[in-house]
Amino acid sequence: MTGTGQSATTRARTRASAGAGLLLLGTLLAGCGAEPGEIPLSEIRPESPTATPEPTTASPTPGVVGAAAGATGAAAVAAHNGLIAGRAFVDPGRTTSAIVTVGPDGSGEHQVTQPPARARDDRPDWSPDGSTITFDRTDPQTGTARLWTVAASGDGEHQIGQLCENGTADCSNEDERAPAYSPDGTQLAFSRSWGAVNPAGNNTTQIQYSDLYLMAPDGTNVQRLTFLTNDKPYSGEVGNPSWSPDGKRLAFEYRTGASGQPANSRAVYVVNTDGTGLRQLTPWELRAGDRASWSPDGSQILFTTYPAGPENAPGGGIYTVHPDGSAIAALTPAPSDAYYGAASYAPDGRSIVFAQAPAGATADLYSMQPDGTGVARLTNSAGKWLSRPKWGTAAPSAPAAPTQAPAQAQAPAQAQAPAQAPTQAPAQAQPSANAQVNPQAPDGQDSEDDN
């Protein structure tokens, strides 16, 4: 028994109150056999090196990932880079964040979403044609998130209907985050957390259950994909799915809680889109997480690491790994006194955009070549803490989207060194009961961080 999808003929949303596989009771899965997602975490071992690797060159051809990888690689090089979506704070107290877009050169910042006061729009992802952005919005009252979509122009902002109906036992604290379009645009992968909340220490909370789901972009045909927390409530949180270019696999982050094995760590996993083939890619001690990004030819997975200790501690870096868990390579220098956030490949595979905050400064977007060379600052967002970048393709309906740096803006943008970043750290936002956000981390690493 894999997933809990409804027949396509019903075209109705799965409701937890009607069963549909959303209740995490042991009797629900009785007789179904061992599901791939039900493998205890303690029995899953990474097949990659366990030592933190030294920085290396991850691509033999600087500037092009997998350029000789055949038809897929050729298509990747031919792709046309569009706008970059990200998350930015829009108020002086940094309690409200919106989805913004910038051109590939960092120019032309445009606020796309209009969140209510103290709401947080976050974790954007592009539709394959570059016309639509999906994201999650955290409610300022409840601290839980729901999934939304908006046109790249900012028109048509609307919520995708939530999975749960209020009042049902298994919908307590129900939370949906990090939506991601499939390469063909027919599905969204997202993380869902629900159940009772248990304090986990360090001013964080741990949700009872958390796993990956799939559904159509209109909210129908919901399927549960993983069962990582099924038999281990409070053991961890699943988040930040990203699709392989062929649409057959998903990479995602798993963050263990105080009762996890090991406790309070994080790693990148992959799973097939039918629920089979669950695999841990990165060793726990590397503390890999956030939304991974597949190279356009599928040969590399880009991810970010975060040091142990306070969430706003500097360190960590940006790495790549092969989809089989081999050849982990660091693209950024280690040790580092900078903060690093999520990173994303350009559609043509020739560049990477990432969030970085030099010591004592706020986050902005930077670019580099796929081998880690040629680092250049793209934005100077004046303390908006611009982060969580996702690079989209150029939409056919929007040929005027900026793809080249304006002559008058390119030189200043490239000339700014990291040391010239704003030096004032953002004020601490007030966390909600379920979402402990730290705006001083490049990606606002909440307790559900990236989940």
Side-chain angles (χ1 to χ4, degrees), residues 227-251:
F227 294 82
L228 279 163
T229 61
N230 191 60
D231 299 321
K232 294 180 179 292
Y234 304 109
S235 61
E237 297 180 31
V238 174
N240 291 306
S242 62
W243 295 79
S244 62
D246 61 8
K248 296 180 179 180
R249 289 175 290 179
L250 286 160

Side-chain angles (χ1 to χ4, degrees), residues 82-178:
L83 299 175
I84 300 169
R87 187 280 311 266
F89 289 106
V90 296
D91 64 318
R94 298 181 180 89
T95 62
T96 306
S97 62
I99 304 303
V100 301
T101 58
V102 298
D105 66 326
S107 66
E109 182 180 326
H110 171 64
Q111 182 177 330
V112 177
T113 65
Q114 305 298 324
R118 301 185 67 83
R120 296 195 305 277
D121 292 353
D122 208 344
R123 302 173 182 86
D125 190 65
W126 288 94
S127 62
D129 64 1
S131 66
T132 304
I133 300 171
T134 185
F135 62 99
D136 60 53
R137 174 171 290 174
T138 301
D139 184 273
Q141 301 300 321
T142 65
T144 57
R146 297 289 179 256
L147 308 184
W148 289 65
T149 62
V150 64
S153 63
D155 298 327
E157 180 181 299
H158 69 280
Q159 181 183 339
I160 302 172
Q162 65 194 64
L163 258 65
C164 278
E165 292 179 347
N166 293 330
T168 56
D170 61 319
C171 288
S172 175
N173 300 303
E174 203 265 351
D175 187 279
E176 301 163 19
R177 293 181 188 267

Side-chain angles (χ1 to χ4, degrees), residues 204-219:
T204 63
T205 56
Q206 189 71 48
I207 197 73
Q208 194 171 11
Y209 300 112
S210 179
D211 272 295
L212 290 188
Y213 284 74
L214 301 176
M215 68 179 177
D218 64 358

Side-chain angles (χ1 to χ4, degrees), residues 84-89 94 100 102 105-107 109 318 338-343 352-368 375-389 413 416-424 426 439-443:
I84 300 169
R87 187 280 311 266
F89 289 106
R94 298 181 180 89
V100 301
V102 298
D105 66 326
S107 66
E109 182 180 326
I318 298 173
Y339 308 90
Y340 288 99
I352 290 170
V353 62
F354 62 99
Q356 178 182 328
T362 57
D364 267 291
L365 301 187
Y366 292 74
S367 68
M368 62 181 169
V375 175
R377 184 172 181 173
L378 295 181
T379 64
N380 186 356
S381 62
K384 294 181 180 179
W385 210 262
L386 184 53
S387 59
R388 294 202 198 280
Q416 289 170 331
Q420 292 174 303
T423 56
Q424 183 177 1
Q440 289 183 316
D443 289 324

Side-chain angles (χ1 to χ4, degrees), residues 11-115:
R11 306 301 296 170
R13 280 194 67 82
T14 301
R15 297 292 181 179
S17 58
L22 297 182
L23 287 173
L24 288 184
L25 301 178
T27 55
L28 185 64
L29 298 174
C32 293
E35 294 290 342
E38 293 178 293
I39 301 172
L41 291 177
S42 59
E43 296 179 9
I44 301 173
R45 294 290 184 265
E47 297 184 18
S48 52
T50 56
T52 301
E54 295 297 324
T56 65
T57 298
S59 172
T61 306
V64 181
V65 175
T72 303
V77 171
H80 191 57
N81 297 340
L83 299 175
I84 300 169
R87 187 280 311 266
F89 289 106
V90 296
D91 64 318
R94 298 181 180 89
T95 62
T96 306
S97 62
I99 304 303
V100 301
T101 58
V102 298
D105 66 326
S107 66
E109 182 180 326
H110 171 64
Q111 182 177 330
V112 177
T113 65
Q114 305 298 324

